Amino acid sequence: MNHKNEESDTLTEAKTPVSNFIRTIIDNDLQTGKHSKIVTRFPPEPNGYLHVGHTKSICLNFGLARDYQGVCHLRFDDTNPEAEDVEYVDSIMEDIRWLGWDWKDKLFYASDYYEKLYDYAEILINDGKAFVCELSAEEMNKNRGTLTQPGIDSPWRDRPAAENLDLFRRMRAGEFADGQMTLRAKIDMRSGNINMRDPVIYRIKRASHHRTGDKWCIYPMYDYTHPISDALEGITHSICTLEFEDHRPLYDWILDQLPVPCHPRQIEFARLNLSYTVMSKRLLLTLVKEGYVNGWDDPRMPTVAGMRRRGFTAAALRELADRIGVAKASSTVDFELLQYCVREDLNKHAKRVMAVLDPLKVIIENYPEDTTEMLEAINNPEDETAGTRMIPFSRELYIEREDFLTDPPKGWFRLAPGAEIRLKHAYYITCKEVVLDADGKIDKLICSYDPASGGGWTEDARKVKGTLHWIDASNCIPVEARIYDQLFTVSDPMSAEEGKTFLDYLNPDSLKVIKALAEPSLAEAKPGESFQFLRLGYFCADYDSKPSAPVFNRVVTLKDSWQKKGVVSQRLV
Ligand code: ATP
Ligand code: MG
C-alpha cells in the first residue's frame, strides 16, 4: 500500500511514556487525590496557521490526556478580533486532526465566555479590585515603571466602585471612543513583577469579531481571559510556554479574586525552536503577506500545512515531539533531527520508483530495436506487502548526468568509459563510446548490455560496484520536481546583525524547479502520495499536479547527516 499523507493515522494506543517534570506533577496530583482525572487544553489564537512549534504543545497536551485517560480541549483563544479569522480556525482544526488528535466534543471558544467574563469583571469592580482608567496608552506606559523602578498609581485608581461600574457599563454600551478608557485590575504598582502593576483587563475596540460580530466593543485581554476560561472548563493542568512564567502570579491572582468553579495549575515548559527557520505567526504572516513564499502552505514554511504539503508525515512530526521531550530549558532543535524523523517514517512506507532529474541518453547498441521488455521491480524492500510492479526497458534509456564521468577519479563506482555498472532492476551495461555534441558537451553514451545479467545477476557472478537508476527513453513521462532548500541561510535568522532583519537572511535558492523525467507509473501519483525516487530522495506529489503532468516536492534527501552525529538514539533532554 502506498503511503498517502493526506490520510492521517489515528493515535489510539498510549506509548510507553518517558517521564518528565509535568508527568511527575500529574502523577502526584492523581496519587494524592487532588484530581481523579486530568483535563488539559490546547489554546491557539486563530491569528495564523499552526507551526511545528505548536505541534509540540499539541502532542504534549493531547498526549497527556491519552496516556492518563483524561481529556484535552481545543479552545480558540479569540479575544483579539482584528488579527483573527475563520480561515485560521478552520486550518487549525484541519491540522490538529491531520496530526492524529481528536478533541471529540470538547471544542471551545474564549468568545463564548464573553458574557461571563464581563460579569466577573463587574464582580472585581464591586469588590474594589478593578477600576476604569482614563490614562492614554502612552501615559500608562510611562507610569508603569521598570524592572528596577516601581510604577506610579493612576490618578483614577481610587474612583468609587459605583462610578467604576457606571463607566464600565457605558464602555460596553459604546459611549466612549476606542482607547479612551480601559478597565484595569487594582493590584500593586510597586510589585517587582511588572505584570502585576494594575494590568489592563478590558479595552475599547470597535472591531468585528469573527464569531460575535459587532455585539461587543470592549474586549477582554488575554491575561484576564485565559485563567477564567481554564477554570470554566475545569482544566486541571494549564500547560503553556515559558514566556508566561512571569504571568503566573496574575493568573493565580485573578482566579483567587473570583468565584470560579476551580483553580487550575499553570505549568510552563520550553518552546520548540528549530534551526534555519522562524517560528512566530507574526513573522510567518510577514513572509506570506509580502510574497516571500507562496502562502501559508508553501512547502518551505515551518507551518503544519506547509510541512504536510512538502510531504512531511504526521507520524514524523509526532516522533519529533516525542524525541525532544519536555523541559524547562530553552533549546533549538536541529532541523536535521526533523529530517531524520521524516526519513525514518517514509523509509517504511514510500514506494520506490525511478526518475532522472538531469537526463543523459544511453543507447544500448546490442539491444534489439523496436522492442520493449517489462521488468519486475520491487516496490518497497522494507515492506513485503507493497508488492512489485513492471517497468519498461528498451534500447534507449536515460541515466543521471552526474552518474557519468569521462575521466573519473579513483574509487568512482559509477559509469565511465569502459566501466561496467548495474542498472537497477535490469542489466549490467558497459560504456563503449562517448558521443559529444557540437559544443563539446556529452550528448549520449553508447553502451552494451549483458543479456545474461537480467534482474541484476550474471551467470559468472562477477561483481560490479555501482548500481544506477535509469528510465526508459521511449516510455517515460515529464514531471516537475520542486527542490527545496532551507528558507534561511543562517541557523538563527532572528539574531540579525545591526540594521538587518530576518528578511535579509532569506535564501534566494530555497526553491529550484526542475523539468525531470520519470517512469510511467508516476503518471497516476495522487497529491499527497509519497515516493522514494531511487538515489535521489523522497518526493511527494503536490496538489498542483495535473493528470498528465505530475508535480513533485522533494521532501528530504536520502543522505542522513544527523545519524552521523551519533545522537539519534539519545533523547535531547
Ligand atoms: P506565536 O508566537 O508563534 O504566534 P503563540 O504562542 O502566540 O505563538 P498561540 O496560538 O497563542 O501562539 O499558541 C497556542 C499554544 O501553543 C500556546 O499554549 C503556546 O504556548 C504554544 N506554543 C506556541 N509556540 C510554541 C512553540 N514554539 N513551542 C511550543 N509550544 C508553542
Ligand atoms: Mg499567543
Side-chain angles (χ1 to χ4, degrees), residues 42-45 51 53-54 57 241 269 271-272 279-281:
F42 174 64
E45 183 184 354
H51 52 62
H54 292 115
S57 176
T241 34
F269 72 100
R271 345 171 32 99
L272 164 66
M279 204 107 76
S280 141
K281 283 181 279 186

Side-chain angles (χ1 to χ4, degrees), residues 41-58 61 75 77 92 222 226 239-244 269-274 279-284:
R41 87 281 172 272
F42 174 64
E45 183 184 354
N47 61 348
Y49 280 59
L50 295 181
H51 52 62
V52 58
H54 292 115
T55 64
K56 176 171 177 180
S57 176
I58 293 168
N61 281 295
R75 182 197 318 135
D77 218 326
I92 288 170
Y222 174 86
H226 201 74
I239 301 166
C240 60
T241 34
L242 275 183
E243 67 271 23
F244 292 103
F269 72 100
R271 345 171 32 99
L272 164 66
N273 298 305
L274 201 57
M279 204 107 76
S280 141
K281 283 181 279 186
R282 191 174 52 80
L283 303 179
L284 297 176

Side-chain angles (χ1 to χ4, degrees), residues 185-384:
K186 194 168 172 179
I187 311 179
D188 180 7
M189 287 307 287
R190 272 155 291 278
S191 169
N193 182 338
I194 295 182
N195 295 299
M196 299 297 273
R197 295 184 187 167
D198 295 1
V200 172
I201 58 176
Y202 266 91
R203 63 203 167 126
I204 306 174
K205 177 135 286 206
R206 283 172 180 77
S208 267
H209 186 278
H210 65 102
R211 297 188 78 241
T212 57
D214 294 320
K215 182 169 180 218
W216 294 86
C217 66
I218 55 171
Y219 289 98
M221 302 299 286
Y222 174 86
D223 277 340
Y224 174 72
T225 310
H226 201 74
I228 298 175
S229 306
D230 279 348
L232 291 173
E233 289 174 23
I235 302 298
T236 55
H237 301 85
S238 176
I239 301 166
C240 60
T241 34
L242 275 183
E243 67 271 23
F244 292 103
E245 197 166 24
D246 289 344
H247 298 237
R248 188 175 355 118
L250 179 54
Y251 183 99
D252 289 329
W253 184 90
I254 287 168
L255 295 181
D256 285 341
Q257 314 309 313
L258 294 168
V260 286
C262 64
H263 189 137
R265 171 165 179 188
Q266 175 178 310
I267 304 169
E268 308 85 17
F269 72 100
R271 345 171 32 99
L272 164 66
N273 298 305
L274 201 57
S275 61
Y276 292 97
T277 190
V278 293
M279 204 107 76
S280 141
K281 283 181 279 186
R282 191 174 52 80
L283 303 179
L284 297 176
L285 182 66
T286 304
L287 294 175
V288 172
K289 280 231 163 116
E290 296 181 15
Y292 294 106
V293 294
N294 304 314
W296 284 98
D297 68 348
D298 186 302
R300 292 165 292 180
M301 288 281 270
T303 52
V304 175
M307 292 186 160
R308 173 170 62 236
R309 182 167 179 189
R310 167 100 168 239
F312 288 15
T313 61
L317 292 178
R318 291 194 306 262
E319 177 65 21
L320 178 76
D322 273 353
R323 274 176 181 271
I324 56 183
V326 179
K328 275 273 187 193
S330 255
S331 66
T332 297
V333 170
D334 204 325
F335 198 83
E336 286 173 13
L337 176 60
L338 172 57
Q339 294 182 319
Y340 170 82
C341 295
V342 172
R343 267 186 212 107
E344 285 281 284
D345 188 40
L346 288 177
N347 180 45
K348 287 182 248 156
H349 304 291
K351 181 172 164 182
R352 274 59 169 170
V353 293
M354 291 198 284
V356 170
L357 296 182
D358 185 10
L360 171 61
K361 179 155 286 178
V362 167
I363 296 181
I364 314 284
E365 58 177 5
N366 59 337
Y367 195 87
E369 288 186 43
D370 306 323
T371 299
T372 299
E373 196 178 345
M374 296 305 285
L375 304 173
E376 189 173 30
I378 288 179
N379 284 333
N380 186 351
E382 302 289 320
D383 177 8
E384 270 179 31

Side-chain angles (χ1 to χ4, degrees), residues 114-122 168-169 172 202 216:
Y114 280 173
E115 205 64 56
K116 284 190 179 135
L117 290 160
Y118 177 86
D119 291 343
Y120 282 133
E122 288 207 348
F168 187 52
R169 288 180 177 169
R172 177 181 181 168
Y202 266 91
W216 294 86

